[in-house]
Amino acid sequence: MTDGQTAQLEAERAAAGIIPGVIWSTIALQDAEPHVPFAKRVVRPLRGSPLRNLQGWLEILRLSRRFDYVLVRQMPVDIFAPIFAPFVRNRVAVHHAKEVEEHTLISDGPIRRLAAWLDRRLMRVSVRNAVASLAVTWDMAEYERDTYDPQQPISVYPNLVGDDAIRALPDRRDPAQISAVFMCTTFTDWNGLDRLVDAVRKDPDHASRLQVHLVGRLSEAQKTEIAEDPLLAQVFKIHGYLERDIYRVLLEQVHVGIGSLALDRQNMVEGSSLKTAELLGNGIPVYATHRYPTVPDDFPFFRNAPHVEIADLIDYALDTGRISRQDIVAASAPYIRKCNGMLSAADFLRSLSHRN
């Protein structure tokens, strides 16, 4: 599991005890040796193979007899779905991406196209045999419903944070220079680093006042483009992967966090990245070009810009910089608490019981 996936499940497990009237259990399967109590290791013969989903389905079958509903994150290229999905009538499909479309966005080629073709057919079987679908955004949930089962009930279960992650960081911002952080596990097309680079080149005067910290994995082409352009090399500081404690020290210095800038490349208008909830929970406003599913459209600490402009980014950082981090946390907390997302999901599941 990634650090973000682990953090999500740890927050879910911690909040489970305060959700009234619900017994909520969390289980994860992984190839690596588990280091969290809710994780189980895939048996040796199945590790690193598409056959590992067999163990997942056997676990789902077992849990389906113990619980009213089993929420299952969609498994890519799941060759066992046609075999097992029809026999688990209380499974809720959970989507964290437009899974099939991601095949062509991550890379192209005959193997990837074949995987997308196969996954589309397997996904149809899996989703149509689920009692409902949850997704991290509304437009993703609507896409899955409209693509695979127009009659299926849908709702959202966004990426949110536990109460222990909601606290203002110390404020060590430098008033002489606007500092932003752009963090991604890997800078893919839908993160939109290229759009930020283009915006910097279009407005070098404002860009000279800006420092953007890039945290995560950049391609060699992205690194070279930044290194060989004096303006880009001045604006962007490449950190690569940072340990959590070092990353938090960096966050103490920034005025604003940058969310995804090109979700339209996935035909999406909403995003629900964990980093957005984490930034707001630390008292850092977020600048992006998409909606966030749990905050109002006029929420002052999440800026959904129509497109990337450096002057707009700087103005937003200056405007929100007048607000204390404690006040930003207090305003953001109701929209980013994991337990609130779980309460909403539980209400949705209760509504399914009334339908049946």
Side-chain angles (χ1 to χ4, degrees):
M1 290 186 294
T2 66
D3 290 346
Q5 289 168 338
T6 301
Q8 278 292 285
L9 296 179
E10 286 179 331
E12 186 175 277
R13 188 167 178 265
I18 59 174
I19 305 299
V22 177
I23 298 172
W24 191 301
S25 182
T26 298
I27 296 175
L29 289 176
Q30 61 182 58
D31 288 337
E33 185 70 33
H35 298 291
V36 288
F38 52 81
K40 295 183 177 183
R41 195 173 193 184
V42 175
V43 296
R44 187 182 300 276
L46 304 183
R47 290 175 199 159
S49 161
L51 298 177
R52 67 200 295 273
N53 288 355
L54 172 61
Q55 184 173 343
W57 277 106
L58 293 175
E59 190 72 24
I60 293 164
L61 281 170
R62 182 183 69 83
L63 294 170
S64 69
R65 300 184 184 102
R66 293 181 51 206
F67 293 89
D68 295 311
Y69 295 101
V70 183
L71 279 60
V72 182
R73 180 164 175 171
Q74 280 299 120
M75 297 179 278
V77 197
D78 183 11
I79 59 176
F80 294 101
I83 301 171
F84 290 100
F87 299 101
V88 185
R89 306 309 301 171
N90 57 348
R91 178 176 59 92
V92 177
V94 180
H95 303 273
H96 282 243
K98 292 181 177 178
E99 295 91 353
V100 174
E101 288 191 10
E102 275 202 353
H103 287 295
T104 53
L105 285 167
I106 292 171
S107 64
D108 200 3
I111 294 177
R112 185 65 67 176
R113 288 195 292 272
L114 176 62
W117 177 86
L118 178 61
D119 207 7
R120 184 174 291 107
R121 282 147 183 81
L122 295 171
M123 190 73 67
R124 181 173 291 110
V125 175
S126 178
V127 173
R128 286 184 175 179
N129 282 281
V131 68
S133 280
L134 291 170
V136 293
T137 67
W138 276 111
D139 63 346
M140 194 181 298
E142 290 165 354
Y143 165 83
E144 301 292 346
R145 178 197 62 196
D146 296 345
T147 302
Y148 301 113
D149 186 355
Q151 303 305 314
Q152 188 173 76
I154 59 169
S155 190
V156 291
Y157 186 44
N159 290 315
L160 304 173
V161 294
D163 287 357
D164 62 337
I166 301 176
R167 59 180 182 274
L169 289 178
D171 189 348
R172 306 188 196 282
R173 289 173 288 185
D174 180 357
Q177 184 177 47
I178 300 298
S179 180
V181 63
F182 196 179
M183 189 278 283
C184 304
T185 302
T186 299
F187 283 86
T188 56
D189 283 349
W190 59 84
N191 296 128
L193 175 58
D194 60 308
R195 290 183 176 175
L196 186 60
V197 166
D198 290 345
V200 167
R201 285 177 168 149
K202 289 177 182 176
D203 192 356
D205 291 340
H206 282 99
S208 65
R209 302 173 56 195
L210 180 66
Q211 173 94 86
V212 179
H213 299 274
L214 300 177
V215 179
R217 188 180 303 111
L218 280 76
S219 69
E220 290 304 314
Q222 289 169 326
K223 292 177 185 177
T224 300
E225 181 181 19
I226 291 170
E228 293 182 350
D229 186 314
L231 174 62
L232 300 182
Q234 173 190 333
V235 173
F236 294 100
K237 183 173 182 180
I238 299 174
H239 294 270
Y241 173 79
L242 293 180
E243 295 291 341
R244 184 168 288 272
D245 289 347
I246 299 174
Y247 177 57
R248 290 179 69 85
V249 171
L250 174 63
L251 291 183
E252 294 174 3
Q253 306 167 31
V254 304
H255 295 74
V256 65
I258 298 175
S260 293
L261 302 176
L263 282 183
D264 56 285
R265 291 171 177 165
Q266 285 189 305
N267 297 315
M268 292 168 59
V269 297
E270 284 185 311
S272 179
S273 65
L274 178 61
K275 70 176 179 182
T276 294
E278 290 177 333
L279 288 165
L280 292 172
N282 291 150
I284 299 169
V286 177
Y287 182 95
T289 59
H290 63 81
R291 295 183 63 247
Y292 192 72
T294 61
V295 303
D297 288 340
D298 60 351
F299 187 63
F301 306 118
F302 182 86
R303 166 84 167 128
N304 175 14
H307 51 269
V308 188
E309 290 185 359
I310 299 304
D312 183 49
L313 172 59
I314 290 175
D315 287 345
Y316 180 67
L318 292 172
D319 288 343
T320 54
R322 301 186 181 98
I323 313 298
S324 74
R325 288 192 166 167
Q326 289 79 7
D327 287 345
I328 294 175
V329 168
S332 302
Y335 305 114
I336 61 173
R337 294 183 71 210
K338 187 67 174 180
C339 63
N340 289 348
M342 293 169 70
L343 282 167
S344 178
D347 287 342
F348 171 69
L349 297 177
R350 289 190 184 98
S351 76
L352 296 180
S353 298
H354 293 313
R355 285 192 180 99
N356 295 336

